Amino acid sequence: MKPLIPNKLFLVFVLIHASRLCATIVRCLCWIGVLWSMTDAIRANERPNILIIYTDDLGFGDLSCYNNNAAYETPRLDQMAAEGIRFTDAHSPSTICSPSRYGLFSGQQIFRSTGRGGGAFEGPGGPSYLKPDTLTIGQMLKEQGYRTGVFGKWHVGLTWFDKDGQRLGGGFENSLLIDYEKSTPLIDGPNERGFDESFITPNCPNTDPLYVYIENGMVATRASQRHDPKSLPNPGGKWRWDNDAGWMSPGYDFMNADLLFFEKAKTFITEHRKDTPDQPFFAVLSTQIAHAPVLPAEEFNGATDAGPRADFVWELDVIVGRVLDLLKELDIDDETLVLFNSDNGAETVHVNWMREDHDHDPSGGWRGMKRDGWEGGHRVPFIARWPGKIPPNQVSSQMTSTTDIFATVASIVGVSLPDDAATDSFDMWPVMLGQQDESISVRPHLLTQSFGGEFQIRQGAWKYLDHKGSGGNNYDVPNMKRWIIPEKASNAPGQLYNLNDDPYETNNLYFSEETKRNELQELLRRLKASGRSAPMNRKPFQAWKQ
């Protein structure tokens, strides 16, 4: 029999070296974990803070960087544009506020939610246009590790119940029927649609009752007091127009609404940076400026020589400046993408009065205004700034929409969007980086909708309006008749314009360009039926990281 000792020694040898090998493997795995964590940290650090400043009824010509003939200056917004990119062919998805807000938060046209158009909510109107199965931009970023917040005007609908648990419809008097115990926390408010923190008003802060503040789904002070519009200032004897009587919370502050929204956003950003500096944030500051009524805070009265509405826009400019200053104070300026956009064109009476009194055109020369399907109803300012990433002094003529913010942000943070989400959203990040050939349009087409849900479609310079007239305002009433442009094809059921040759939409080519008209009508039919206008299989644009 062979001796056993050598075999035992061999076994010991194997065990010793196996244990060393295991230790080496464990150390390697640990280092792989560390490197993976470092990669995650690097990846997280590449993701910027994202801040959207979303304004109300601000027309294409309301900023001095867009309008050389503006009756006042907007220095901080001009500075923001100079430090980033300014789009000259940007559009709101709708010509009124609630459907446009749906477009911002969902990346989709309002008919994806409602089947056609969508009105603006008043009183306890709802439910939300943002349905439970709709991926919102807040939800998308929250899933990517962002802390999310929204501050200011919400206005995409909320569900309220009476004492019997029945859902309330809109209407001022229904505000008194709200059962707050049954209604709050809100089942379809911002905190249920992807936002960690919120401080909002349900509708237009100074226009549409009910007048309450809602913080994280709860109403601290109920609407129990009747509001008298005559209790507010009326500069110039007319600028209080559209401040509706209704029910308000005692102490509701009409004059300082936007300053309050800014302070809430500032607190969110400041405290978040203090508590979790390694986590990026996403915030939406949704102002009421320049929606009617014109109620600038006291410190801004007389700030310009162009009347109360100019003072109002000046207040907005100052707030934007305070936001940019805050980012520098917190040393996160280079880590933060700031987007500035408007929900539709300027209000009708505002356009009239500013043209008459101050030789200032809020529509910037375009035909139409808020509610209209013509360019003045939906061509709006859009500015993007991210120092060190977005090259400065860019002016882009790329056709874009508010709905594109969703896909653009997704691209920046490295998200491949599901095909059933943000179905009208295109990635404009290559444009912002200056890496897109300006002669090649990112968008092969663009949809907009006017007041009643009527459609307009762009393809290059060609624009087809699937309706007669403005699609919004009645130009037969006295204060609008002066802006009537005689129709050259008055019997046409729709309108076709070439914006290169006819930027002011005066020569309807509906009959004379039959081939192009049929082409755009068919394209519109397909886009409506397909459930999407954006491409499938959208992947993040990666070249900027190389």
Side-chain angles (χ1 to χ4, degrees):
M1 181 179 292
K2 295 181 180 179
L4 296 176
I5 293 177
N7 289 338
K8 290 181 179 180
L9 290 174
F10 178 75
L11 179 60
V12 171
F13 175 84
V14 169
L15 290 174
I16 290 173
H17 282 273
S19 64
R20 289 175 179 172
L21 179 62
C22 288
T24 302
I25 292 172
V26 169
R27 283 195 299 270
C28 289
L29 290 173
C30 288
W31 273 110
I32 290 172
V34 170
L35 290 172
W36 186 263
S37 299
M38 289 174 63
T39 302
D40 280 347
I42 292 170
R43 190 180 297 115
N45 288 337
E46 285 180 342
R47 296 177 176 180
N49 306 305
I50 300 168
L51 176 60
I52 299 173
I53 303 173
Y54 198 51
T55 68
D56 205 332
D57 291 8
L58 192 79
F60 184 89
D62 273 327
L63 304 182
S64 50
C65 57
Y66 277 89
N67 184 358
N68 292 330
N69 298 314
Y72 51 84
E73 299 291 326
T74 50
R76 297 309 301 269
L77 280 158
D78 292 1
Q79 174 192 352
M80 180 180 170
E83 293 173 347
I85 185 169
R86 174 170 62 90
F87 289 85
T88 60
D89 199 357
H91 300 263
S92 58
S94 173
T95 62
I96 56 171
C97 48
S98 294
S100 284
R101 279 166 167 70
Y102 172 81
L104 170 66
F105 292 123
S106 71
Q108 299 181 148
Q109 292 292 139
I110 188 61
F111 77 96
R112 309 290 185 199
S113 174
T114 66
R116 179 162 173 77
F121 295 100
E122 295 182 338
S128 177
Y129 285 146
L130 295 168
K131 297 176 181 178
D133 60 349
T134 301
L135 180 68
T136 70
I137 190 171
Q139 180 184 346
M140 182 267 291
L141 289 171
K142 187 174 179 177
E143 291 173 354
Q144 297 304 311
Y146 278 72
R147 183 152 185 84
T148 59
V150 59
F151 310 93
K153 175 178 174 178
W154 181 242
H155 213 191
V156 288
L158 294 168
T159 297
W160 303 90
F161 299 103
D162 65 14
K163 62 182 178 60
D164 298 320
Q166 298 298 309
R167 187 179 67 81
L168 290 166
F172 301 161
E173 299 304 326
N174 277 353
S175 298
L176 289 179
L177 301 179
I178 295 173
D179 186 307
Y180 288 90
E181 280 73 25
K182 287 184 169 64
S183 299
T184 57
L186 294 166
I187 63 172
D188 52 4
N191 296 71
E192 300 301 320
R193 296 295 184 266
F195 290 93
D196 295 304
E197 294 189 31
S198 64
F199 184 90
I200 62 165
T201 59
N203 306 316
C204 295
N206 287 355
T207 303
D208 303 319
L210 70 146
Y211 298 120
V212 294
Y213 297 125
I214 306 168
E215 189 160 18
N216 293 324
M218 303 300 295
V219 177
T221 307
R222 303 174 180 186
S224 60
Q225 181 177 320
R226 188 73 177 183
H227 168 60
D228 180 5
K230 294 181 181 178
S231 66
L232 298 176
N234 189 18
K238 57 189 177 184
W239 289 101
R240 194 173 58 208
W241 176 83
D242 208 24
N243 175 229
D244 294 334
W247 297 98
M248 59 177 279
S249 300
Y252 186 88
D253 192 346
F254 289 87
M255 304 302 299
N256 297 293
D258 284 312
L259 295 180
L260 175 60
F261 300 150
F262 165 72
E263 289 298 329
K264 291 292 183 177
K266 177 181 178 181
T267 299
F268 168 78
I269 294 170
T270 303
E271 291 184 352
H272 174 70
R273 292 298 302 172
K274 177 183 176 182
D275 297 337
T276 53
D278 294 329
Q279 180 187 20
F281 67 80
F282 169 59
V284 178
L285 174 57
S286 180
T287 76
Q288 63 159 340
I289 302 171
H291 196 286
V294 174
L295 297 172
E298 184 177 359
E299 66 182 278
F300 302 104
N301 284 325
T304 73
D305 295 325
R309 188 175 182 275
D311 296 344
F312 212 23
V313 178
W314 180 270
E315 178 180 352
L316 172 65
D317 190 71
V318 169
I319 289 172
V320 171
R322 290 176 182 177
V323 168
L324 299 179
D325 291 343
L326 174 65
L327 300 179
K328 291 182 179 179
E329 291 168 11
L330 297 176
D331 197 26
I332 55 172
D333 194 35
D334 292 346
E335 304 168 19
T336 306
L337 168 67
V338 182
L339 303 172
F340 178 91
N341 191 220
S342 176
D343 67 351
N344 47 247
E347 180 59 83
T348 55
V349 295
H350 290 185
V351 174
N352 289 337
W353 295 339
M354 290 303 289
R355 286 173 176 173
E356 292 173 353
D357 298 348
H358 303 288
D359 196 26
H360 172 83
D361 184 8
S363 296
W366 301 103
R367 185 182 186 184
M369 49 200 85
K370 179 179 178 178
R371 301 180 191 84
D372 293 340
W374 297 314
E375 291 294 287
H378 51 80
R379 190 179 287 236
V380 294
F382 182 34
I383 301 170
R385 174 187 182 272
W386 183 5
K389 294 294 189 296
I390 296 178
N393 297 309
Q394 292 187 88
V395 179
S396 174
S397 60
Q398 282 279 339
M399 183 171 61
T400 185
S401 168
T402 298
T403 59
D404 296 339
I405 289 175
F406 199 124
T408 302
V409 166
S411 181
I412 291 170
V413 301
V415 173
S416 297
L417 286 174
D419 287 337
D420 62 350
T423 56
D424 297 300
S425 190
F426 288 73
D427 181 8
M428 304 305 292
W429 184 225
V431 181
M432 294 180 183
L433 289 171
Q435 298 184 23
Q436 174 71 28
D437 186 339
E438 275 286 295
S439 66
I440 301 174
S441 179
V442 171
R443 277 183 159 274
H445 39 63
L446 178 141
L447 290 173
T448 53
Q449 292 181 261
S450 53
F451 179 68
E454 296 87 349
F455 285 92
Q456 304 83 41
I457 185 168
R458 277 274 305 281
Q459 186 184 59
W462 289 98
K463 177 180 178 182
Y464 172 69
L465 296 85
D466 197 33
H467 54 84
K468 296 186 70 171
S470 74
N473 294 302
N474 179 6
Y475 279 74
D476 289 327
V477 298
N479 70 320
M480 299 294 285
K481 282 186 176 180
R482 75 193 75 181
W483 312 121
I484 290 177
I485 296 175
E487 296 293 343
K488 296 182 179 179
S490 57
N491 295 327
Q495 300 165 71
L496 178 67
Y497 301 105
N498 186 314
L499 297 183
N500 280 346
D501 302 330
D502 180 25
Y504 307 118
E505 298 170 279
T506 61
N507 185 24
N508 188 357
L509 304 175
Y510 185 93
F511 294 119
S512 60
E513 294 287 349
E514 183 179 359
T515 301
K516 177 55 69 173
R517 182 196 78 215
N518 290 337
E519 178 185 333
L520 290 178
Q521 287 174 330
E522 174 59 19
L523 176 60
L524 175 59
R525 186 198 65 77
R526 290 201 321 259
L527 294 180
K528 289 164 63 178
S530 69
R532 65 185 309 106
S533 64
M536 306 280 277
N537 301 314
R538 286 163 294 176
K539 303 296 182 184
F541 179 72
Q542 295 292 338
W544 71 282
K545 294 183 179 181
Q546 298 174 0

